[in-house]
Amino acid sequence: MKYSYCELVIGGVQNRNTVVNCESVQMPVGRTDCYRSVFDFDEDFSFWVNRTGSVKAYAGKHTAHALPFDFDCKDNLRAVQEETIKFCMYLDAHFGIDPNCLRIYYSGCKGFHVFLPIELFGAITPRYNFSQIAAGIVDDIAGTFTYMDDSIYSTTSLLRLPNTKNSKSGLFKIPLSYIELKSLDTEAIRKLAASPRLDFVFPAYECKELPTLVDLYQKWSKHDFTVKSKVQEESTERRSPKANFEELLRGVSDGARNRSAMQLCGTLIQRGMKEFEAEAILRMWNKHNEPPMSEQELIGVVEKAYARYADVSKGDLSEDIYSIQEAVEKYWQYSQRISERKVMTGYPILDSKLRGIAPGEVLVVQGKAGGGKSAGAQNFAHNYAKATGQPVLFFSMEMPIVSVVERAIQIELELQGATVEQSFIESTDGIPELAKMIFSKLPNLYTIEKSGLTIDKIRQYIEFAEQSIYQKKTGLVVIDYLGLVQGVGNNLYERVSSAARSIKDLAKQLDVPIIFLTQINKSKADNERPDINSSRDSGSIAEAADFMLSIWQDDEREVKSPEMVNVTITITKNRKGGKGDVPFMMNRKTMRFSEDSEPVLKKKPNALQTDPLSIGTSQPSLN
């Protein structure tokens, strides 16, 4: 398993709890107050944060790509610099570490960071207590240095990212060579730190394991961290629940599994975890047990814990009880916050019933395969993007980007798909002028075509786009479609249910409106009216939705032109009130939707004239 996941913090420590794959995410060069975790994790870390919403109490295996040493002092940078130089000389004299092998940084404020490549320590394996091993090694190497900060060796500690700005000093964390560290005074270093050093390259050096450092790693990897000092023994009774929780997460032996599982459930219940979320977390924990519990046994413990404890109220709950005056004040604050951020579909009749999709709300569009749900959602997204100028992030998990583009040009320029394709084929000098019109119409529409994304990966894309692409809050997220999102569970029903609930949680956590698409059961005919329970693979989809729209072919209305297909959008769920049918027409050539404000019903045939069994009788046959 690859240990390539880390916590990435952009814009201040208040923005913690985002986990990324370091190999695929661009680091935020030039941004302010950006950090990454000191240690590296596997995908279990991402799973944990996705489920709990926090890195706190994570106690899985971890490792490091380098071992950091942090030297700092608030009021005397020159003294810190001198000690950092002595430390580098010490590493050379006592451990045989060539200074060219070191990775040295000015922190951007009050100190310096020195990194030892992990390859110097030999064969390193991820461990549950790797942070403790690192702390032990650092103490052995640099414990006597005055300005060494040993507070960065907890499992989820952070360090500032290189070439990012410190908001307090206005300076950047920058790389330095060993020669620069020795020869430049503090003022010269601060001048260098006025901007990122993007062209800096560390001296080339082949890092090989050093016997002295290998011995140190072996010493601390064999250390029994459960053996406590006298002071630690005396404080055992005062240990925090967090510490106990971390120990439990590392897995237990056969005799302690059920008791530990119940304790874990109790902690998760206190943190507001839903039962299915706790079940997923315990499955991750169970992998570390020797031997693991059976699936049936684990589920039984979770069900028992939630039946026993989930409804028990503890503590002062007064802050959760609103007087009518407090409630009205809350509503006023809500109305002011969302008044300019509601998503309107651009269709007056439909919007009058929905009253807009607010940040944190989810609209589900369900329909048959090929029934127009993707085209309908794309029409909604285009209308919103053009009306507001706000960014729209479209996750096209089913259609490739070329299909999305062709459809966008069809909708906006009212062209047939074949016409669009031919215009590009004939334009040998670049993009045809006709198609360039879409640039000004939809400059704020962004598309991601990757399929099989997890909810955590969708979150990462949204946050990365906000921070590094359009640098503002996302106006609308569209996910096409739910069946291609990776959920958690043992079967398709559980995975789809998990994904639907997680999308709702994601909308609330990121404070964005989300539209996601889902397919209707195959048993439904194309022209059969769907209901709230018609979604394929899960009955939980409707529960996750604030609004649910069903798009279906309506054969009961007169077709107004050969190019048009009559569709009806039925509002099957609406937390804000109005439900029912809204007649639409879809242009089969351009995929553009329009409301049918004056629908005409087909005349129903006279049964006496058309039914052969009724000819010659005064009344229709009842047989």
Side-chain angles (χ1 to χ4, degrees):
M1 185 175 289
K2 296 185 71 173
Y3 283 76
S4 56
Y5 289 81
C6 68
E7 183 184 8
L8 182 64
V9 180
I10 299 177
V13 292
Q14 73 276 7
N15 297 322
R16 292 198 66 167
N17 307 315
T18 295
V19 177
V20 301
N21 187 325
C22 305
E23 295 179 350
S24 60
V25 172
Q26 183 178 358
M27 290 296 116
V29 172
R31 301 291 297 276
T32 301
D33 291 340
C34 301
Y35 310 84
R36 67 149 284 166
S37 50
V38 171
F39 298 105
D40 301 326
F41 306 87
D42 64 9
E43 62 185 0
D44 278 352
F45 186 48
S46 177
F47 178 85
W48 169 265
V49 175
N50 185 39
R51 283 297 173 200
T52 66
S54 174
V55 300
K56 290 181 180 179
Y58 183 73
K61 290 182 178 180
H62 50 288
T63 182
H65 63 285
L67 191 63
F69 294 78
D70 182 13
F71 296 86
D72 60 51
C73 176
K74 183 178 181 181
D75 301 316
N76 196 340
L77 183 62
R78 179 57 192 167
V80 179
Q81 182 183 5
E82 290 176 352
E83 183 165 276
T84 305
I85 295 169
K86 290 179 182 178
F87 175 69
C88 294
M89 296 170 63
Y90 171 80
L91 291 176
D92 188 7
H94 288 75
F95 297 96
I97 300 174
D98 189 322
N100 286 325
C101 185
L102 304 176
R103 300 300 179 244
I104 304 168
Y105 296 87
Y106 167 53
S107 70
C109 190
K110 56 183 180 178
F112 297 87
H113 299 159
V114 179
F115 289 83
L116 295 187
I118 205 67
E119 292 83 1
L120 299 175
F121 294 87
I124 301 296
T125 56
R127 303 169 68 104
Y128 295 111
N129 62 349
F130 189 85
S131 59
Q132 293 174 299
I133 294 171
I137 294 172
V138 168
D139 187 59
D140 270 2
I141 294 176
T144 60
F145 284 83
T146 305
Y147 298 120
M148 239 293 297
D149 182 357
D150 61 359
S151 65
I152 63 169
Y153 303 104
S154 66
T155 305
T156 56
S157 289
L158 300 172
L159 265 182
R160 189 177 301 276
L161 282 166
N163 291 315
T164 63
K165 184 186 290 187
N166 185 311
S167 62
K168 294 180 180 178
S169 67
L171 302 177
F172 287 82
K173 176 178 176 177
I174 58 168
L176 296 169
S177 67
Y178 177 54
I179 294 175
E180 288 175 327
L181 177 69
K182 291 196 302 179
S183 61
L184 297 177
D185 60 24
T186 55
E187 188 59 32
I189 291 174
R190 287 193 177 100
K191 285 182 179 179
L192 277 178
S195 60
R197 297 191 79 187
L198 302 181
D199 56 349
F200 180 89
V201 179
F202 280 109
Y205 184 85
E206 184 180 359
C207 291
K208 296 181 179 180
E209 64 181 52
L210 296 176
T212 50
L213 295 185
V214 172
D215 290 344
L216 263 184
Y217 174 73
Q218 293 298 327
K219 167 190 170 182
W220 284 102
S221 63
K222 295 175 183 178
H223 183 77
D224 186 357
F225 290 99
T226 63
V227 177
K228 304 177 179 64
S229 66
K230 183 177 181 181
V231 173
Q232 289 173 317
E233 290 287 357
E234 291 174 351
S235 64
T236 297
E237 295 298 323
R238 300 191 298 274
R239 287 170 56 195
S240 68
K242 173 184 175 182
N244 293 328
F245 189 54
E246 290 178 350
E247 288 184 11
L248 288 174
L249 281 172
R250 292 172 184 168
V252 293
S253 58
D254 192 359
R257 292 179 313 183
N258 281 63
R259 183 181 69 255
S260 299
M262 188 67 76
Q263 287 177 300
L264 284 171
C265 280
T267 302
L268 295 174
I269 288 168
Q270 290 178 348
R271 296 183 179 190
M273 292 288 108
K274 297 177 181 178
E275 185 172 341
F276 80 93
E277 293 173 320
E279 190 175 299
I281 290 171
L282 260 71
R283 282 197 184 95
M284 181 186 76
W285 161 79
N286 194 37
K287 291 190 298 184
H288 306 312
N289 292 331
E290 292 292 344
M293 303 169 70
S294 69
E295 178 74 6
Q296 183 177 3
E297 187 179 11
L298 185 145
I299 293 174
V301 170
V302 176
E303 290 178 346
K304 183 177 180 181
Y306 272 75
R308 180 182 299 178
Y309 301 124
D311 294 329
V312 177
S313 298
K314 297 180 179 181
D316 181 9
L317 303 181
S318 60
E319 64 180 22
D320 297 325
I321 302 174
Y322 294 93
S323 69
I324 186 62
Q325 182 176 350
E326 292 169 331
V328 171
E329 178 72 17
K330 192 82 172 178
Y331 184 79
W332 179 83
Q333 293 171 356
Y334 161 83
S335 68
Q336 299 300 303
R337 181 175 62 88
I338 58 91
S339 59
E340 296 181 357
R341 293 190 59 202
K342 279 188 177 181
V343 170
M344 312 302 282
T345 68
Y347 298 104
I349 299 174
L350 185 61
D351 286 331
S352 68
K353 294 177 179 291
L354 298 180
R355 293 168 44 211
I357 312 160
E361 294 180 336
V362 171
L363 168 69
V364 174
V365 179
Q366 64 173 356
K368 296 283 286 186
K373 63 182 182 299
S374 294
Q378 201 163 342
N379 274 264
F380 296 164
H382 286 201
N383 291 345
Y384 171 76
K386 289 184 294 185
T388 66
Q390 298 303 313
V392 174
L393 198 55
F394 187 85
F395 289 87
S396 180
M397 300 190 186
E398 185 174 33
M399 292 192 301
I401 187 67
V402 292
S403 298
V404 176
V405 169
E406 180 180 289
R407 179 170 289 178
I409 296 173
Q410 284 182 262
I411 293 171
E412 292 306 314
L413 304 184
E414 299 189 64
L415 298 173
Q416 296 185 42
T419 303
V420 174
E421 181 181 286
Q422 190 61 34
S423 70
F424 274 76
I425 291 172
E426 295 174 355
S427 180
T428 57
D429 296 330
I431 298 171
E433 290 300 319
L434 185 67
K436 290 181 180 179
M437 294 171 61
I438 200 173
F439 297 164
S440 59
K441 284 176 170 285
L442 297 170
N444 50 333
L445 179 64
Y446 300 86
T447 304
I448 295 166
E449 65 170 345
K450 287 190 174 292
S451 184
L453 297 177
T454 62
I455 297 297
D456 185 50
K457 195 65 180 177
I458 292 173
R459 177 202 303 272
Q460 290 174 25
Y461 273 118
I462 295 170
E463 293 180 335
F464 180 81
E466 290 179 347
Q467 295 156 0
S468 303
I469 304 298
Y470 37 79
Q471 298 181 345
K472 62 191 300 188
K473 195 70 180 171
T474 305
L476 171 65
V477 172
V478 181
I479 301 173
D480 184 12
Y481 69 101
L482 179 66
L484 297 178
V485 177
Q486 285 190 28
V488 177
N490 294 322
N491 53 53
L492 182 60
Y493 182 92
E494 290 181 359
R495 290 193 291 273
V496 172
S497 299
S498 165
R501 296 189 192 103
S502 296
I503 288 175
K504 174 59 180 175
D505 292 340
L506 184 67
K508 292 192 294 184
Q509 291 164 6
L510 297 186
D511 195 35
V512 295
I514 296 180
I515 296 176
F516 74 78
L517 280 57
T518 184
Q519 292 191 352
I520 287 176
N521 290 326
K522 292 181 179 180
S523 59
K524 290 281 185 182
D526 291 345
N527 60 352
E528 184 179 358
R529 180 190 303 273
D531 58 35
I532 195 171
N533 297 312
S534 296
S535 297
R536 187 190 296 182
D537 300 326
S538 176
S540 298
I541 294 173
E543 297 174 12
D546 298 283
F547 312 90
M548 178 172 276
L549 305 182
S550 301
I551 298 181
W552 54 286
Q553 185 176 322
D554 189 347
D555 293 340
E556 296 184 356
R557 294 172 13 230
E558 293 282 357
V559 177
K560 294 186 175 181
S561 71
E563 295 84 16
M564 295 296 182
V565 177
N566 286 333
V567 295
T568 291
I569 296 182
T570 300
I571 305 172
T572 51
K573 181 178 181 181
N574 184 0
R575 293 193 190 276
K576 298 178 183 177
K579 293 192 288 187
D581 294 345
V582 181
F584 272 77
M585 296 179 292
M586 181 181 73
N587 189 309
R588 67 174 78 241
K589 294 181 178 180
T590 69
M591 310 303 289
R592 173 171 278 200
F593 274 60
S594 57
E595 286 183 334
D596 188 354
S597 57
E598 297 181 351
V600 179
L601 296 178
K602 291 180 179 178
K603 293 181 180 179
K604 293 186 178 180
N606 189 322
L608 293 178
Q609 295 175 345
T610 60
D611 187 351
L613 298 177
S614 66
I615 295 176
T617 64
S618 60
Q619 294 182 359
S621 170
L622 299 177
N623 294 329

